Amino acid sequence: MALNQVDPDLITFSAVISACGKGGMWEKALQLFWDMEQSTVACNTITFNATISACEKGSKWKEALQLLDRMAQSSVDFDITTFSAAISACEKGDEWENALWVFSAMMPSRVELDTTAFNAAISACEKRGEWEQALQFFSTMAQSEVELDTLIFNTGISACEKSSKCERALQLFNVMSFANWEMLKRVAASQLVQR
């Protein structure tokens, strides 16, 4: 029985790009993406997200930002996964300022904020000792009422610890212990972000 040539479609490309990303083969994922762009198959949000996630796993922040730009040029819709993966790629590449830039680009969009995006941004700040900026995110989270989790607080407390800001770490710990939005709003608005 002879096999006929079968052309890959959107689902095929997206699945293999995702598999390459999960397997640590970011270069192959990126090559498949560019091959797809040259084919008659149009990329969608899922394909871009899979490719940006592959770059994130390889700490390839420049490539992730190029894909973000290409996505905008192609008028493909962004979602929270898009931004979270790009922020995380910048964080893993030790590019905290670019992580913040991506986060700020996300804010005016209609994307619903979630813990993953905030944690990636706070982690980028934490790695660079930018405790003040990390704590600013807690204020933003309090205003948007994003669900908080232990990882968010751990990352924020670690940012304070790395900068020898014991009092700020204790404030976050207390807010975490009480899980109180009003307390977080008051602390974030006043003492938490003060030097």
Side-chain angles (χ1 to χ4, degrees):
M1 173 187 247
L3 286 175
N4 293 330
Q5 181 176 346
V6 180
D7 293 325
D9 64 6
L10 175 66
I11 295 169
T12 312
F13 271 112
S14 296
V16 75
I17 288 169
S18 180
C20 288
K22 290 177 182 174
M25 299 172 62
W26 69 268
E27 294 130 322
K28 187 63 179 171
L30 202 54
Q31 183 57 54
L32 286 163
F33 175 84
W34 295 123
D35 290 348
M36 183 179 177
E37 282 246 307
Q38 298 302 313
S39 76
T40 58
V41 180
C43 298
N44 69 2
T45 304
I46 295 169
T47 310
F48 273 100
N49 288 352
T51 312
I52 293 170
S53 292
C55 292
E56 175 246 332
K57 286 173 181 53
S59 302
K60 299 300 177 185
W61 64 273
K62 286 181 185 175
E63 290 80 355
L65 294 184
Q66 288 171 348
L67 287 163
L68 206 60
D69 185 52
R70 182 72 186 116
M71 197 171 180
Q73 292 172 10
S74 302
S75 299
V76 174
D77 291 333
F78 299 99
D79 65 14
I80 193 62
T81 303
T82 310
F83 288 112
S84 295
I87 292 166
S88 189
C90 293
E91 176 259 326
K92 288 180 178 177
D94 203 23
E95 287 289 321
W96 74 276
E97 290 171 320
N98 281 317
L100 298 185
W101 176 82
V102 173
F103 192 92
S104 68
M106 175 180 66
M107 293 303 287
S109 72
R110 292 188 171 27
V111 171
E112 186 173 330
L113 302 175
D114 75 356
T115 307
T116 306
F118 276 102
N119 195 60
I122 292 169
S123 185
C125 295
E126 178 255 345
K127 281 187 172 180
R128 296 291 297 175
E130 297 293 329
W131 67 274
E132 292 169 301
Q133 185 63 51
L135 296 182
Q136 287 286 341
F137 284 110
F138 281 90
S139 178
T140 306
M141 284 187 293
Q143 292 169 6
S144 57
E145 297 192 7
V146 170
E147 184 177 327
L148 300 174
D149 63 15
T150 304
L151 184 59
I152 287 278
F153 281 102
N154 288 348
T155 307
I157 290 168
S158 180
C160 294
E161 177 264 330
K162 285 184 177 178
S163 299
S164 301
K165 299 297 178 187
C166 175
E167 291 176 16
R168 302 301 180 256
L170 284 170
Q171 288 174 337
L172 275 180
F173 179 77
N174 287 332
V175 169
M176 178 183 176
S177 299
F178 293 109
N180 183 320
W181 275 114
E182 289 309 311
M183 184 179 186
L184 179 58
K185 287 176 185 177
R186 282 193 309 274
V187 170
S190 62
Q191 299 170 356
L192 197 57
V193 293
Q194 292 176 2
R195 292 176 188 223

